[in-house]
Amino acid sequence: MIENLEDLKIAGIGGGSRGKLLLQAIFSEAAAEKRPKILGVADKNLRAGGLQYAQEKGIFTTSDYRELFSIPELDLILELTPDDSLKEIIKEAK
């Protein structure tokens, strides 16, 4: 059971503006003590700001969100895209 936020291992689908804002919040000074581990970020646009930010932080990035499903010990996948059809695809893959 996960008791602390810093124990979470997270991946995100969507490296656009939403993904970048989330990553910036997680990597902010204020969140340093309770920071979860970000294991991967996926976005089909390799130039997306959040994807590039993740790369700068040394986080695994991919253009294929399905690669995130095989990350060992992953606790949570956050879907951060505006694409409603992707939500159903992810739900089926889950």
Side-chain angles (χ1 to χ4, degrees), residues 4 19 25 28 34 37-38 40 45 49-50 56 60 65 67 70 76 81 92 94:
N4 299 307
S28 73
K34 299 281 186 184
K37 181 141 178 88
I38 308 299
N45 177 2
E56 292 169 13
F60 167 73
Y65 68 89
E67 289 186 46
S70 63
L76 178 67
T81 72
E92 288 176 19
K94 181 181 152 187

Side-chain angles (χ1 to χ4, degrees), residues 26-42:
I26 289 171
F27 283 99
S28 73
E29 190 76 28
E33 291 183 27
K34 299 281 186 184
R35 183 175 297 143
K37 181 141 178 88
I38 308 299
L39 300 181
V41 175

Side-chain angles (χ1 to χ4, degrees), residues 59-77:
I59 298 168
F60 167 73
T61 60
T62 180
S63 61
D64 184 354
Y65 68 89
R66 293 170 292 199
E67 289 186 46
L68 300 178
F69 298 157
S70 63
I71 295 175
E73 300 181 21
L74 190 64
D75 296 313
L76 178 67
I77 294 179

Side-chain angles (χ1 to χ4, degrees), residues 3-54:
E3 295 183 21
N4 299 307
L5 186 61
E6 62 269 18
D7 295 334
L8 273 176
K9 295 177 183 103
I10 300 172
I13 299 173
S17 57
R18 293 177 189 179
K20 185 174 182 179
L21 285 172
L22 178 63
L23 288 172
Q24 288 173 327
I26 289 171
F27 283 99
S28 73
E29 190 76 28
E33 291 183 27
K34 299 281 186 184
R35 183 175 297 143
K37 181 141 178 88
I38 308 299
L39 300 181
V41 175
D43 197 292
K44 62 184 177 183
N45 177 2
L46 295 176
R47 300 182 78 186
L51 198 74
Q52 292 180 347
Y53 185 82

